[in-house]
Amino acid sequence: MLLLGTRILLKCDCLSVRFCPVPCGPSSPEVEGMLMAVRVIRAGGILLAVVLGVLLAGALPAAAHNELKSSNPAGGATLDTAPAAVVLTFAEALIQGKTTITVTGPDGANAAAGPAQLNGPTATVPLKPTAAGAYTVAYRVVADDGDVTNSNLKFTLTAAAVAPPVTTTTAPPTTTTTTTTTAPTTTTQAGTTAAAGTSSGTVWWPWVVGALVLILIVVLVLLLRRRRAGQAIP
């Protein structure tokens, strides 16, 4: 078909009539129809090649780069409560040793409490807030084919998000211990008590008895003398 169109465009300037697909001479309606068909096919081929080229050009970069699909916190978010970690989710599984993620606080200090934990396409970085302000999460991801995705996102923590927690001190309950002392009970047998009384009584009662006997003797002597003196008087 292409050979036929070439011969027609060249006005059938053939080297030999034997190889010419159509008789040389003025164009006929059949030749014009065939020429139009060749032009349509050629234009369709060119258009198809352009469309395929555009589709491939748009598909290859997307497949080559491991793009970020979502994040928590989201880029541009303002939070009153600090998250425990920053979570990034990519289009493809992340490769250990080829994934670098950093979190920087507004004061320029490192705000990551530890290294990033990779789990398939998800990376989790523990967060330690340093100050109120904008935090920058920078990431560098290398895909299987070696293409590098290097970008960052920002989120903001308010003063309430980084305020120290209020500590309430509760006094421990006071326990009062009462000690009761019970005097030992002394049991004294009756016989022992009586013996003790007798023993203590021997110290003073003989002297009292002796004094009473002596007084009684003196009184009797005086009475006898009076009586004798009364009998002696005539």
Side-chain angles (χ1 to χ4, degrees):
M1 183 69 77
L2 294 176
L3 179 62
L4 174 60
T6 303
R7 294 286 185 258
I8 295 173
L9 292 176
L10 294 176
K11 300 299 183 182
C12 294
D13 189 13
C14 304
L15 297 176
S16 173
V17 178
R18 180 179 179 183
F19 297 100
C20 184
V22 295
C24 296
S27 298
S28 64
E30 295 179 357
V31 173
E32 291 294 338
M34 297 178 66
L35 179 60
M36 182 61 67
V38 170
R39 290 175 178 173
V40 171
I41 293 174
R42 181 184 297 174
I46 295 174
L47 180 60
L48 180 61
V50 172
V51 171
L52 290 176
V54 171
L55 292 177
L56 290 176
L60 288 178
H65 293 79
N66 193 1
E67 298 291 340
L68 179 68
K69 292 298 182 181
S70 64
S71 67
N72 185 18
T78 299
L79 308 176
D80 294 329
T81 302
V86 175
V87 181
L88 304 180
T89 302
F90 292 84
E92 300 176 3
L94 300 171
I95 303 174
Q96 192 72 37
K98 295 184 178 181
T99 302
T100 304
I101 302 174
T102 60
V103 183
T104 306
D107 52 359
N110 179 26
Q117 304 296 323
L118 306 183
N119 184 13
T122 303
T124 303
V125 183
L127 181 67
K128 58 172 183 180
T130 58
Y135 285 72
T136 302
V137 181
Y139 55 89
R140 185 178 187 274
V141 178
V142 180
D144 290 332
D145 58 0
D147 287 331
V148 178
T149 301
N150 195 356
S151 186
N152 63 76
L153 62 89
K154 296 179 182 291
F155 65 90
T156 302
L157 295 182
T158 64
V162 296
V166 178
T167 303
T168 303
T169 303
T170 303
T174 303
T175 304
T176 304
T177 304
T178 303
T179 304
T180 304
T181 304
T182 304
T185 303
T186 304
T187 304
T188 306
Q189 296 181 357
T192 304
T193 305
T198 305
S199 175
S200 61
T202 58
V203 177
W204 57 270
W205 71 266
W207 297 97
V208 174
V209 172
L212 291 175
V213 172
L214 182 61
I215 293 172
L216 182 59
I217 293 172
V218 172
V219 171
L220 290 175
V221 171
L222 290 176
L223 289 176
L224 289 175
R225 284 183 178 181
R226 275 187 173 187
R227 186 175 180 183
R228 291 178 181 178
Q231 291 178 356
I233 298 175

